[in-house]
Amino acid sequence: MTIHFDCTQCGKCCHNLRLTLSVDEAITWAGRGHAVQILAEALPWPADPEPETPQSVYDKARSFPGTSGDIPVRIAIALVAYHDGPCPHLQPDMRCGNYEARPRICRIYPLERRPLTAWTPQDRLCPPEAWDDDLPVLVRDGEIADPEAVSIIEAHRRVALEDVPDLAAACEALGVDKAAFANEGLAVHAPDPLLLAETLQSVRDSARCPTAARSWTILTNRGQTLSLLQQAGCLAELVTQGPDYLGSFADEA
Ligand code: SF4
Ligand code: SF4
C-alpha cells in the first residue's frame, strides 16, 4: 500500500491535543509555564507472561514495577503537553512559532509514534486533500519513505524507554500514586508546570533511582472492573469520567 501526503497547514494537529513529550522536552515545555500532564496506567503484573509476546515485552519496557494491595503491577507513565484550544506556540497563520525546537511528536505526525500500533489516514486529523495521490509518498509497501522521519520515530521510541526510571523517580517525588486500569483509561495528574519542570530536572541531574516498588491505587470507571480488581487483592477506586480520568468506556456504576 502506498500513502501519499503533504501537510496543508490546517493546524488541526496543533489544537486540543495531548502531545507526548520526553523528559527533556517536558522540562523545556513546562519550564515555559505551559501545561504538562502526567498520564498513568497500571497493568496488573503477577509475573512475566510465558511465553512473552511482542506486546508484553514492550509493555514491560515502557513501565516500572509497583504494587497495588497484594498484587504486583507495572506502571506506565506518559508526559503530555496539554492545550485546550490552540497550542501556545501556534501563530495566527497556523504556522508553528516553535518550529526549530518543536517536540519530536510534532515532527512525527501523521505517522505513528507507538510501536505495534496500526494506523490509517482515516484516523488522522489531516483533511482529505492532504492525502491526494499526486502528493509525495509518505509510506510505500508499509515502509516510511523518508529516512529522516524514520530516525525521528526511532529516537522518540528509544528515549521514551530510556526515560522510564526518571519518570518513576519523578512520580515518587511528586507523590503521584494513582493510575488507571490499563486499556480502560488514563489517570490524569496536572502538577504546576514549574514544579514539574524543577522535579524532572532534579531527577535528571541526580540520576535518582526510585526506592522499592511503591503502592498504587488503580482507578476505573466501571463497577465490574472494580469488583474484579478488589477480588484479586488490588487497591482500587471507582471514579467517573472527568479532568482527572480519561476513560475509554462510559461510566458504569
Ligand atoms: S509546537 Fe508547533 S507543531 Fe507542535 S503543536 Fe505547537 S504549534 Fe503545533
Ligand atoms: S492535521 Fe495534518 S495537514 Fe493539518 S497541520 Fe497537522 S499534519 Fe498538517
Side-chain angles (χ1 to χ4, degrees):
M1 182 180 65
T2 299
I3 299 175
H4 301 257
F5 175 78
D6 199 9
C7 175
T8 65
Q9 295 189 334
C10 70
K12 284 185 187 167
C13 63
C14 304
H15 285 78
N16 305 314
L17 287 184
R18 289 181 167 87
L19 306 174
T20 312
L21 303 177
S22 69
V23 167
D24 287 333
E25 290 170 339
I27 290 170
T28 302
W29 197 278
R32 292 176 182 148
H34 301 321
V36 174
Q37 297 179 335
I38 298 171
L39 306 183
E41 289 177 280
L43 303 94
W45 203 273
D48 288 344
E50 285 285 346
E52 290 180 327
T53 64
Q55 187 65 53
S56 70
V57 170
Y58 172 59
D59 282 340
K60 186 171 182 181
R62 72 185 179 99
S63 62
F64 54 87
T67 62
S68 181
D70 304 329
I71 302 299
V73 297
R74 293 197 71 87
I75 303 296
I77 297 292
L79 298 172
V80 293
Y82 174 61
H83 38 91
D84 183 13
C87 169
H89 295 295
L90 189 63
Q91 297 181 333
D93 63 358
M94 295 297 129
R95 290 178 185 274
C96 176
N98 185 38
Y99 191 76
E100 294 305 322
R102 68 197 190 287
R104 285 188 201 89
I105 192 72
C106 299
R107 301 163 194 260
I108 289 171
Y109 201 82
L111 292 165
E112 178 56 54
R113 69 174 174 83
R114 294 165 296 185
L116 309 173
T117 303
W119 69 278
T120 67
Q122 289 71 38
D123 59 41
R124 296 313 197 225
L125 295 166
C126 313
E129 58 270 27
W131 309 99
D132 283 347
D133 284 348
D134 57 353
L135 294 175
V137 172
L138 182 69
V139 175
R140 182 181 287 112
D141 298 330
E143 301 292 330
I144 298 165
D146 178 5
E148 189 182 347
V150 172
S151 82
I152 294 170
I153 292 171
E154 285 175 353
H156 181 88
R157 292 175 180 175
R158 186 188 69 250
V159 171
L161 302 186
E162 291 170 355
D163 278 346
V164 169
D166 285 347
L167 293 172
C171 285
E172 184 174 45
L174 292 165
V176 171
D177 61 1
K178 293 187 175 182
F181 185 53
N183 302 317
E184 286 198 359
L186 294 162
V188 181
H189 303 270
D192 172 79
L194 297 183
L195 173 65
L196 177 62
E198 279 172 23
T199 303
L200 291 171
Q201 188 65 63
S202 158
V203 160
R204 194 57 116 204
D205 291 345
S206 63
R208 174 178 160 184
C209 287
T211 54
R214 296 166 57 231
S215 173
W216 289 75
T217 300
I218 303 181
L219 308 183
T220 175
N221 66 335
R222 306 172 92 193
Q224 194 176 13
T225 301
L226 179 75
S227 298
L228 290 171
L229 289 168
Q230 289 177 332
Q231 283 166 21
C234 293
L235 197 58
E237 194 176 304
L238 190 65
V239 293
T240 55
Q241 296 264 15
D244 301 334
Y245 181 83
L246 305 173
S248 307
F249 302 94
D251 294 339
E252 293 170 23

